[in-house]
Every structure is written in C-alpha cells, then in structure tokens.
Amino acid sequence: MSFSQQNIASPVRRRFRRERGAAAILAMMFLVIFSSLAAAMAIVSQGNLATADSNLKMNRALAAAETGMRFMVYRINQESAKITTRAGLIDGTNAPALWTALRNALQTSFTGEVHNLSEPSLNGSTLTIGPIAVGPNSPTFIATLTPHPLAGENYNAAYYQRPPYSQMVPAVSSSNPLDSTWIRVKVSASDGPVGRQITRSISMDFKLEKKIRFAVLSKSRVMIGANVMIEGPIGSRFTDTNLTNGHPVQMQSDFAGLDTALDASLTPFINTLKTNDVNGDNRLNVNDAAEINGMTNPAQYDKNGDGYIEDYDFFLARFDANADGKISNSELNTAGDVRRAQLMALIDTFGDPTRSGYNDGFIDNSDRYAKIKGSVLFTAAMAGWNNGAAGGAYQNYFQGPIRPDTGQSPIQFEASDASVHQFEADDFDVTTYRNLATGDLAAQAATQAAQYNPADPSSPRPLGTQVREAVPYGSQHPYDFYDRPVYENMTFTNVKIPKGTNALFKNCKFIGCTFVETTKDNTDTYYNYVGMQQADGSPLHPEKTATVNGGVVSDTKPLSNNLRFDGCTFEGAVVSDATTSFTNARNKLSFTGTTKFDPNAASLTASQKLLFKRSTLLAPNYSVEMGTFINPSDSKETVNLSGTIVAGVVDMRGQVKVDGTLLTTFMPQNGTGPVTGNTSPDFNTTLGYFASTNGDKEGELPTTAYGLGVIQIRYNKDLPLPDGILGPISLTPNTATYFEGGN
C-alpha cells in the first residue's frame, strides 16, 4: 500500500466510528419522544373514554329521572282518582288528611311490585318510592313526595323569585310559603357501579285539587249544534251506538248551510276527512303526508296559513272578498242575514275578553276559531259507532275543527272510567244549601201581593192567576200540560219552593239560595207518566198508577216540581233535592226570557258570593231547559251561568253563555223508565238546535228569519266545585315549577 493510500483510508475509518455513537443517541431520543407521545395519546384516550363514560352516565341518569317523573305522574293519577271527598275546595284545613289518604294509597300500590329494589317507606309525612330499576342493567330512580311547607326551606330564596311562584297571589315568601295543598315531588336517578355512580335529580311541585276538568261531562249523548263553540274538554259516557241517532257526541259545522257555494266546497272536504284525517281533529295537516294524500297543492286550501285545512278555510275563501285574511260585517252581509250576524258575534266575542281582536268587528286569525278548543273523550268504541249509528263514517255526524291543548289528543275512544268520571245521584249532598233556604214561599208571596198597585205595572201582582202551559214550554212536541199558578214581579229571599208548586215565576228576583223541593222516591216505571194531560186537560194515561213511598198514586204532579222561570234574576243559586231517578216530565226547571244569574250581587255577603259562584244551578237528575225553542234572535231570550252547572240533562237553545262546567247525571237505560224501549238516544244534552229526526224529540230547527242563536261555553279552571259533590281529587303537576338539580 502506498503512502498516499494510507493517508486517504485512515481518516475515513475514524469518522465512521464517531457517527455510530451519534446514531445511538438519536435513536434513543426518538424512542423517548415516541414513548412520550404514546403515553400522552394513551392518557388523552383514557380521558376521553372517562369523559364519554361520565357524559353517558349523566344522560342516562337524567333520562331515568325524567322517566321516573312521568311514571310517578301516571301512578299518582291512578291512585288520586280513587280518593274522593265532598269538599268543593281543597285548602290547608282538609289537605293534610287527603294527602295522608293518597300517600297511603300510593304506598300500598307500590308495595310488592317486581321492579322494586326496595319497598316504599314513610318518614313523617314524606313518602319514598324506590329505588326502582328502569330496566335490566339500567339506571335506578328514587322518588320522594313531601308536602309543603318543607322543613328548613328558604322561601325567600332566588328559587322562588320566578314564575309561577312570584305570580301567585300573594307571592311565595317566607311569610307566605307554599301550604299543605302543594306537594314537592323529587326524582333522583343514578347510573354506574356503587361508589362511582352519577346522580341527577329533577323536581316539580304538584297541587292537591278537586276539579271536573271538562266544559261538558255527560252520561247521555251530547248534541252540539251550529253556532255553538266550546272551550274545554268534552266527555260522553253514552255507549248505545248501535241504535238510531246513537252518536255519543253529535256535532254540526258552524258553516254548513250558511251559503250554497260554501256548501259545495265543504262537501268534498268532509269526504276527504273521512279517509285522510289521521288523528280525528277534523282538520288536515298540510305537513302530514298521510293527511294530504291524493291532494294536489294542498297549501292552496290553507287560507289562514296556520298549517291546517279545515272548514274555516273554506268559509274564509268564500267571504273574504279583499283577501286580507279578515271577514268584516259587510263582507259577511250581517245586516241582511240574522244567522250571519249571530255567527259574527259567536266567533268575534268568544274567549277571554282581554284577548287581541275580541269584538273588533272582524273574524280573523286573532279569534283562533275552533268548534272545540279541547279534547273529546268517548267511553264508546269507534268501531261500534261506525258500524252502528254512523253507518260507516262517524265524521258525517262529527263536524267542525277540534284544537286540543298542547300534548293532548283531539279525540279518545274507549276512555277509562278514571278519565271520564261518572257521578251518581247519591254523590250529591245538598244539605248545606237546603239549610240556607229558610224562607217560606207562600208567606213571602202573600206579603208582596198585598202591596199590589194597579197603577204600577212593575208592582207585585195578585195571587190566584193560573195559566195552562205545554211542557216543554214552546216545544213543537210537548209531552204534558200543566196548570201553573203565577207569581209575578216579586222578590224572594232564601226561599224553599215546596213540592207540587209547579209554578210560573215572571219577572221575579231570587236572593240567596232558592231551594226546589221534590220527592226523592221516584223510581216507579210510570212515575213520569202518571197524571200526564192532553192539551184539553183530559188524562193522557188514565190507566196508569205509580207506587211512591209505599202508596199507590194516580198523579205524581203534587209530589214533584216542574217550574218555569221567565225573565227572572237569581242573585245566588238554584238548588234542588237529588232525586233517585230522572223523570223529565215531573222534575223540570225551565228558564226563558232574559235570565240572569249573579253570584256577585251586592245583596250577598262575601261568604255567600264565594259559595254561589261555585255553582249557580245544582239540580241533580232534573231536566233543565234554557232558552227558546222559537226565536233565538230575541234579545230577551238570554241566559248567563257560572260555576258547575248540574242537571240530569241540559237543553240550551238561543243565546246562552256558561263560565264553568256542564255536568249531567242521567244515563238513559233502554227499557228503564222513563226510557221506553230502545230510545236511549232520545234523552240527551242538547246545545243548539236540531231537527227531531236527529234525535231531539222536543224541538225543531227555528225558521231562518230567527237564525240559530249564540251559545258559548268556557271551562273555568279557577272556580272551585260546590260542596256536597262526592268526587275524586287530583294531584296536578305545575310544569312551570320544573327544576333540574344536581345531586
């Protein structure tokens, strides 16, 4: 090897040895970096998994708490329907005992259930339910129910400085805490293994109440004619749908028959409803493919732009001449047509008088028209109705849009007894009212008759006048005649009207409680018919007799009370004995002319006002007629009622307003007096006008010159029930009090 070669090779060997050491260092550095990255990624991944697991548990726990609250509402509704009281108002005096009864019923109902992880327990007045497993390997929840005032609770806290607490009168505070009518329901749910559980809780305050949450609740079928609007649920327990006219609720459109061109549009619409209406609200949802199936450009029919096609849209299309979304009096031609003027008044003045558009002279979206604003509940089955009286399509007899409350179904068939409560005659104790009526009718009348002034037409008239009247008064189809004594221009205070009076009261004032006496034992099959007369006064059924209180009688008129009040004012309430059976010819109250019920009259004490406002008419198993069969446009034929209106059946015609609930107690049973043969559909609650061929055997449609009147019924949730009605309580959640807490 030459010198030159050695000089070249030696440095190279030395440089390679130094580079092998650097590579090791770099390799170690990369190893540390990648190890650190791997560890960091593992830590992040583990954290993400833990976070995801926690979020999952939180969501599962919250969902379980929501499930638990819904489950508790369901069970509370079941058990509260079994707890009854005769008190009309639940307050701090009777709430503790009612809560104890409900609490015990809930504890009993939950004891021994298979999903319990622990049996329900009591700690003072607090009931604890659970833990309850939502499902296999699922979260569990515990519910606690505690009446207010809560021990240690700060009712001045910010929690209570919000609606609805701040809007209560007076507002909730430490000096005015929630009382024992309020129950705090708290549901806490947990998910995860013991020691690592995540818990979420929610709470609401529930109100102990006694309410009949219906605008109309009837044991007989309900007939709702044209020019009738109702706000609030309707319930019917009528089930004889196999019989002619056996419609549990029969409802006529407010617009059908108004105009031939309009009718031509409504007919195909109603036919489409029969096939396309999925939920039974008598409307077509333009955003529901099933409900607009087969329609071309369905949006063109939604004239008011609310997303639904209903008969109101066709009414709007027909009469809104300038297409501004409003119908004026001139467009509807109310000046030249009585029925159209009544229709304007019906829609434009319905609802809260403080609402936008009330009585502004236009029908438009601000009036939020609906035939029924609430749900309709039937205990009957839809199939039975369709296969029976309806002849294949119940919609032929059930017309007009229904707008239920949020979250509620428009209609419900085969509703439970708990949903449509049944009241019997012996559920009514009218002792409180009877004790108030200490006045003597004959004595008060005689004193006033002695003051007769022939020069003054408004002075009390002499006694002794008698008139013969058909029953029902003004009916095209009367079934009896009465010779009535007449009391005119008189004032009666806390008066009892003895059985057998059968009088006509004209332009009279009744102050306080007017109590109508009758015979309770009226169960004989022929009680309703014995003593019936023809127009000339001759007996209609001379061969019939009835057994009453162990004795045989040939005339039951002296044992009952069939009264007519014409143009009378009631500063208080009218109350009757609760008869055992319904006898429409014998026990009947008829109100004609301008009838005013004023439970806030200055003549009453504060306690009387509170009492009478709960019910201005309480006549269990009585037949009640209101308004005119003949002229519904007569301004003198008006009736205004408030509170829970109780009768065997109620017929309202003409111009009637009700602020409260209509409750009817008579369930017609075929072959049981006074129902002869299979005629149960003939005994009904009639609101408005129908032809006799539709099942209203007492009347006919009035002549077109008089229109169809205006009937408005609005359920008033704020009015307590009258005392004496044996009915179920409820524990109602106030959803505005919902609160989602932590643990």
Side-chain angles (χ1 to χ4, degrees):
M1 178 181 298
S2 66
F3 179 78
S4 62
Q5 290 173 324
Q6 291 178 343
N7 289 342
I8 294 174
S10 296
V12 171
R13 286 194 296 271
R14 288 194 297 270
R15 185 169 63 248
F16 283 172
R17 285 195 295 270
R18 288 196 299 269
E19 285 178 351
R20 283 198 298 272
I25 293 172
L26 288 174
M28 291 175 64
M29 290 176 62
F30 277 114
L31 181 61
V32 170
I33 291 172
F34 285 128
S35 297
S36 298
L37 287 174
M41 292 177 65
I43 292 171
V44 170
S45 298
Q46 186 66 25
N48 286 340
L49 288 173
T51 301
D53 183 62
S54 296
N55 285 333
L56 177 62
K57 286 185 171 65
M58 283 190 292
N59 289 332
R60 281 162 56 93
L62 182 58
E66 295 281 4
T67 298
M69 183 64 78
R70 288 192 291 269
F71 182 61
M72 290 307 302
V73 170
Y74 170 72
R75 295 296 292 268
I76 287 170
N77 289 339
Q78 279 190 319
E79 297 307 315
S80 62
K82 303 172 186 177
I83 309 299
T84 59
T85 178
R86 289 194 182 275
L89 176 66
I90 297 178
D91 55 22
T93 60
N94 56 10
L98 292 171
W99 163 240
T100 298
L102 177 56
R103 180 196 68 193
N104 293 343
L106 284 167
Q107 183 179 13
T108 300
S109 72
F110 274 103
T111 299
E113 293 199 355
V114 295
H115 51 249
N116 288 352
L117 299 181
S118 180
E119 294 299 320
S121 61
L122 289 176
N123 182 12
S125 57
T126 297
L127 173 65
T128 299
I129 305 293
I132 291 177
V134 175
N137 301 316
S138 296
T140 62
F141 69 85
I142 297 175
T144 59
L145 296 82
T146 309
H148 286 271
L150 302 174
E153 185 80 349
N154 180 9
Y155 288 95
N156 281 333
Y159 179 90
Y160 294 101
Q161 309 307 310
R162 61 182 177 103
Y165 304 111
S166 60
Q167 296 174 339
M168 295 179 181
V169 181
V172 173
S173 66
S174 59
S175 59
N176 181 57
L178 293 174
D179 63 17
S180 55
T181 64
W182 290 93
I183 310 297
R184 172 69 55 82
V185 178
K186 181 177 180 180
V187 179
S188 298
S190 301
D191 190 33
V194 176
R196 291 189 294 145
Q197 289 181 323
I198 291 181
T199 301
R200 286 294 178 265
S201 65
I202 59 176
S203 65
M204 275 197 297
D205 285 323
F206 287 53
K207 179 74 169 175
L208 266 175
E209 298 177 306
K210 181 184 174 186
K211 299 285 187 182
I212 301 175
R213 289 182 170 80
F214 287 90
V216 181
L217 178 58
S218 177
K219 293 172 72 173
S220 59
R221 75 189 192 98
V222 181
M223 303 176 69
I224 305 171
N227 281 21
V228 180
M229 288 176 63
I230 298 175
E231 180 178 314
I234 297 172
S236 172
R237 295 187 60 88
F238 184 84
T239 57
D240 288 339
T241 56
N242 59 304
L243 301 176
T244 301
N245 293 323
H247 314 295
V249 176
Q250 185 170 350
M251 196 162 65
Q252 293 183 338
S253 169
D254 291 322
F255 309 117
L258 195 66
D259 177 85
T260 54
L262 178 57
D263 285 346
S265 300
L266 288 177
T267 299
F269 166 67
I270 292 172
N271 288 333
T272 303
L273 279 177
K274 297 175 189 177
T275 57
N276 286 24
D277 182 17
V278 174
N279 63 355
D281 62 354
N282 290 339
R283 305 184 296 175
L284 298 177
N285 186 340
V286 296
N287 296 309
D288 188 323
E291 293 208 334
I292 58 174
N293 181 44
M295 299 177 65
T296 302
N297 187 20
Q300 67 179 307
Y301 302 108
D302 179 20
K303 294 300 181 182
N304 69 339
D306 67 347
Y308 292 90
I309 305 169
E310 56 192 43
D311 56 6
Y312 174 79
D313 290 302
F314 296 93
F315 167 69
L316 191 64
R318 173 68 182 89
F319 291 104
D320 182 16
N322 61 2
D324 64 349
K326 300 181 178 181
I327 297 177
S328 65
N329 281 284
S330 59
E331 288 174 317
L332 193 55
N333 188 26
T334 56
D337 191 303
V338 171
R339 181 183 171 185
R340 295 184 183 186
Q342 293 168 341
L343 183 63
M344 173 65 75
L346 173 77
I347 300 175
D348 193 29
T349 66
F350 189 77
D352 185 351
T354 64
R355 70 168 173 81
S356 173
Y358 182 90
N359 199 23
D360 63 355
F362 293 94
I363 296 176
D364 56 22
N365 276 4
S366 66
D367 298 309
R368 291 181 58 79
Y369 169 78
K371 181 73 173 176
I372 307 295
K373 295 182 179 180
S375 302
V376 182
L377 284 74
F378 313 90
T379 55
M382 182 174 67
W385 189 6
N386 276 332
N387 296 332
Y394 74 86
Q395 294 92 339
N396 287 326
Y397 304 92
F398 191 69
Q399 300 173 4
I402 301 170
R403 185 182 299 146
D405 292 336
T406 302
Q408 299 296 314
S409 299
I411 62 174
Q412 181 183 345
F413 287 97
E414 300 182 77
S416 67
D417 288 342
S419 300
V420 189
H421 188 75
Q422 180 171 217
F423 289 91
E424 306 293 347
D426 58 5
D427 289 335
F428 298 87
D429 181 356
V430 294
T431 303
T432 299
Y433 298 94
R434 184 189 294 108
N435 292 340
L436 291 174
T438 57
D440 183 277
L441 175 72
Q444 292 186 18
T447 299
Q448 294 177 80
Q451 302 169 4
Y452 170 61
N453 179 1
D456 182 5
S458 64
S459 75
R461 308 293 292 179
L463 299 175
T465 303
Q466 197 171 64
V467 296
R468 172 175 285 273
E469 286 188 354
V471 174
Y473 178 77
S475 170
Q476 294 90 335
H477 307 286
Y479 41 69
D480 200 359
F481 290 84
Y482 272 78
D483 296 309
R484 300 191 186 281
V486 180
Y487 300 85
E488 188 170 0
N489 299 337
M490 295 183 178
T491 298
F492 300 95
T493 302
N494 288 326
V495 67
K496 275 191 177 77
I497 302 178
K499 59 185 176 183
T501 301
N502 300 318
L504 166 63
F505 295 92
K506 295 185 65 177
N507 302 319
C508 292
K509 178 186 287 187
F510 296 84
I511 300 174
C513 180
T514 301
F515 195 87
V516 180
E517 295 185 312
T518 190
T519 300
K520 294 184 179 180
D521 180 15
N522 63 337
T523 58
D524 189 285
T525 301
Y526 296 120
Y527 187 98
N528 202 48
Y529 303 98
V530 170
M532 277 187 174
Q533 296 178 340
Q534 301 186 69
D536 61 2
S538 60
L540 184 60
H541 304 292
E543 77 288 354
K544 288 182 169 58
T545 61
T547 300
V548 183
N549 292 327
V552 178
V553 298
S554 58
D555 188 358
T556 51
K557 287 180 179 177
L559 304 175
S560 50
N561 243 333
N562 186 313
L563 306 170
R564 183 165 76 90
F565 301 92
D566 184 60
C568 294
T569 297
F570 300 90
E571 296 182 351
V574 178
V575 183
S576 77
D577 282 314
T579 62
T580 304
S581 297
F582 174 79
T583 48
N584 58 312
R586 288 295 164 261
N587 294 306
K588 181 184 287 289
L589 302 177
S590 298
F591 300 89
T592 56
T594 302
T595 302
K596 182 180 181 181
F597 286 82
D598 185 5
N600 292 311
S603 61
L604 303 175
T605 65
S607 60
Q608 286 177 322
K609 291 177 182 179
L610 290 175
L611 175 65
F612 296 138
K613 194 174 182 180
R614 298 184 192 181
S615 178
T616 46
L617 179 61
L618 184 55
N621 265 359
Y622 255 72
S623 173
V624 175
E625 301 273 354
M626 294 183 174
T628 173
F629 283 88
I630 302 169
N631 184 3
S633 65
D634 188 346
S635 60
K636 297 179 180 179
E637 292 285 352
T638 61
V639 180
N640 292 284
L641 295 162
S642 72
T644 303
I645 310 305
V646 180
V649 297
V650 177
D651 292 337
M652 293 183 173
R653 302 175 179 89
Q655 301 169 69
V656 183
K657 287 188 177 182
V658 178
D659 179 34
T661 296
L662 296 183
L663 171 62
T664 64
T665 61
F666 174 56
M667 177 174 283
Q669 295 179 316
N670 295 307
T672 301
V675 185
T676 58
N678 292 324
T679 60
S680 59
D682 295 348
F683 296 81
N684 44 65
T685 289
T686 305
L687 308 174
Y689 294 92
F690 287 82
S692 60
T693 53
N694 293 132
D696 181 13
K697 298 303 183 183
E698 296 180 353
E700 298 288 351
L701 293 172
T703 60
T704 55
Y706 298 138
L708 294 172
V710 174
I711 297 179
Q712 300 173 332
I713 301 174
R714 298 183 65 210
Y715 168 65
N716 189 333
K717 65 180 177 60
D718 296 323
L719 286 179
L721 292 175
D723 290 332
I725 300 179
L726 184 63
I729 66 169
S730 62
L731 188 58
T732 310
N734 186 321
T735 55
T737 67
Y738 176 94
F739 179 76
E740 181 184 334
N743 294 327

